[in-house]
């Protein structure tokens, strides 16, 4: 393969990557909008999301096992580290 062909292939791959990244960014934005709308609906209907292990998380906080409480919260909710830490901090 000559240099021109290699360059063309490289540019095509880079273009494909940038295109995919752009789609992911747009998808993330759309998902965030949907989540905000769902949160507003749940608040309007006075609904709360129930997490099955919240009693366990609260007990761990009372025992001073904050790191373990964060881990259990993340496992039960699928939350990220920051979200889980903030939730556990609110309990403590």
């Amino acid at each position: 393969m000559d240099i021109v062909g290699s360059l063309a292939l490289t540019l095509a791959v880079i273009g494909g990557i940038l295109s995919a990244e752009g789609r992911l960014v747009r998808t993330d934005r759309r998902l965030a909008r949907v989540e905000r709308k769902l949160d507003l609906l749940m608040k309007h209907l006075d609904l709360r999301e129930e997490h099955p292990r919240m009693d366990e998380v609260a007990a761990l906080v009372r025992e001073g096992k904050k790191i373990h409480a964060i881990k259990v919260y993340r496992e039960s909710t699928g939350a990220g580290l920051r979200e889980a830490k903030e939730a556990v901090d609110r309990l403590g």
Side-chain angles (χ1 to χ4, degrees), residues 11-86:
L11 289 174
V13 169
I14 290 172
I17 290 170
L18 293 175
S19 174
E21 185 176 346
R23 284 192 303 265
L24 286 174
V25 168
R26 286 189 303 276
T27 301
D28 285 346
R29 286 184 193 147
R30 290 177 66 199
L31 179 58
R33 280 196 317 266
V34 169
E35 287 177 340
R36 281 192 302 272
K37 290 176 183 180
L38 183 57
D39 288 342
L40 287 171
L41 283 171
M42 289 181 69
K43 184 177 178 181
H44 178 73
L45 297 172
D46 198 29
L47 297 174
R48 306 267 186 285
E49 184 177 1
E50 292 186 25
H51 302 290
R53 297 176 69 187
M54 284 307 291
D55 292 337
E56 180 182 355
V57 171
L60 289 166
V61 170
R62 285 191 300 274
E63 294 170 10
K65 299 179 179 178
K66 185 176 177 181
I67 293 173
H68 191 66
I70 292 169
K71 181 180 177 187
V72 172
Y73 185 90
R74 290 186 71 195
E75 289 172 355
S76 68
T77 64
L81 181 58
R82 178 182 289 171
E83 181 183 346
K85 182 183 179 311
E86 289 171 356

